[in-house]
Amino acid sequence: MGRLLAALLLVLSASVARAETMVVALSTPSIEVSANFAGTHLALFGVVERDHATVSRAGKYELVVVVEGPSETLLVQQKQRVAGIWVNAEGTVFADMPSFFAVYTTPDAGHLLTEYADERLSLASLTANIRTRADFKEAVVRVRQDDALFVEDVGAVTRLTDMFFRTLIHLPPLIDDGDYTVTTHLFADGVRLDTTEAVFTVAKVGIEQSLFWFATERPLFYGLGVVLLALVTGYVGGIVFRRN
């Protein structure tokens, strides 16, 4: 009887936990990067679904949307002046850093970024566990923010209705190829009710993709081709602009 009661309570608690869920959809599953790519926007739509037994809440639903690009390893070095020449000196390696990291929230959800500081819900939490000098971490964040690769925008998620939300994900020109994960967290009264994920892909197309494949898969021939092209261009330029 005790086990049956425990199982019943477990089922009831699970049903309560899933009484409100978040359903999201992206405007497109893939982004194509061509030679003239200058950045783009991707729309994320979300709707809160409730079962018939769920009582309406007095407060508003809050959303935190986290977008992460493919991971990469970064080498950050500090420049020093030696004998009048600036050279790379001391450095540190950042492993498994997302090439793109963005956090978007509803207007009143900024406090959640600090209340859930132990999770990757903000730029601060992204670098909190990195054991290195603070100035190196600040440099990485600053440079990536300047390139629009690290973004934190409180208020970017718009409420179209009490249950329907939308946000625009800005993808800058310097984004990397690969799969991007969009994690949407649904909160009410400071409590997380649901978390859902969506994925979109960024891929090079056309001559960009061909050159990228040739440079990564056939680096020797790519290097020789670049040198040959430089020699031919220099020779032709010398003939065209030669003074009589």
Side-chain angles (χ1 to χ4, degrees):
M1 183 65 180
R3 291 183 178 179
L4 179 60
L5 181 59
L8 181 59
L9 290 174
L10 181 61
V11 172
L12 288 175
S13 62
S15 63
V16 171
R18 298 294 297 177
E20 294 156 293
T21 59
M22 193 72 199
V23 180
V24 300
L26 296 169
S27 57
T28 179
S30 60
I31 302 294
E32 295 183 347
V33 177
S34 58
N36 59 349
F37 180 76
T40 188
H41 286 87
L42 184 70
L44 172 73
F45 297 92
V47 61
V48 180
E49 289 192 344
R50 300 186 307 184
D51 59 27
H52 299 293
T54 304
V55 179
S56 298
R57 295 181 180 271
K60 296 180 179 179
Y61 292 108
E62 302 292 350
L63 262 68
V64 177
V65 179
V66 181
V67 186
E68 291 195 52
S71 297
E72 61 182 1
T73 299
L74 296 177
L75 172 61
V76 179
Q77 293 178 290
Q78 187 176 34
K79 287 187 176 294
Q80 290 184 352
R81 191 160 185 164
V82 179
I85 301 175
W86 288 101
V87 296
N88 291 325
E90 181 184 359
T92 187
V93 175
F94 292 78
D96 297 326
M97 286 289 290
S99 57
F100 178 84
F101 186 84
V103 180
Y104 308 99
T105 77
T106 42
D108 303 323
H111 64 282
L112 296 172
L113 304 185
T114 55
E115 290 179 13
Y116 289 81
D118 57 334
E119 302 183 33
R120 289 162 73 100
L121 296 186
S122 66
L123 288 175
S125 64
L126 175 67
T127 60
N129 295 326
I130 299 177
R131 305 301 180 188
T132 188
R133 285 171 41 181
D135 54 345
F136 280 98
K137 292 194 290 186
E138 292 173 359
V140 169
V141 173
R142 182 179 65 254
V143 170
R144 298 226 154 181
Q145 283 181 318
D146 291 342
D147 293 333
L149 294 173
F150 279 4
V151 179
E152 191 171 279
D153 194 345
V154 175
V157 179
T158 304
R159 292 189 183 90
L160 301 179
T161 67
D162 290 340
M163 311 285 286
F164 190 34
F165 301 84
R166 186 196 71 167
T167 188
L168 290 178
I169 302 169
H170 174 64
L171 301 174
L174 296 178
I175 55 172
D176 288 348
D177 286 6
D179 292 333
Y180 287 65
T181 303
V182 183
T183 307
T184 304
H185 304 272
L186 174 66
F187 293 88
D189 302 322
V191 178
R192 179 158 40 198
L193 304 177
D194 190 28
T195 298
T196 185
E197 286 189 357
V199 176
F200 66 92
T201 303
V202 175
K204 292 183 176 68
V205 295
I207 188 64
E208 280 275 307
Q209 173 61 21
S210 300
L211 290 176
F212 177 78
W213 179 89
F214 198 55
T216 54
E217 299 297 327
R218 300 290 187 271
L220 176 60
F221 294 105
Y222 178 80
L224 293 175
V226 170
V227 172
L228 179 61
L229 180 62
L231 292 174
V232 172
T233 302
Y235 176 75
V236 173
I239 295 176
V240 173
F241 297 102
R242 182 174 54 189
R243 294 181 179 180
N244 294 326

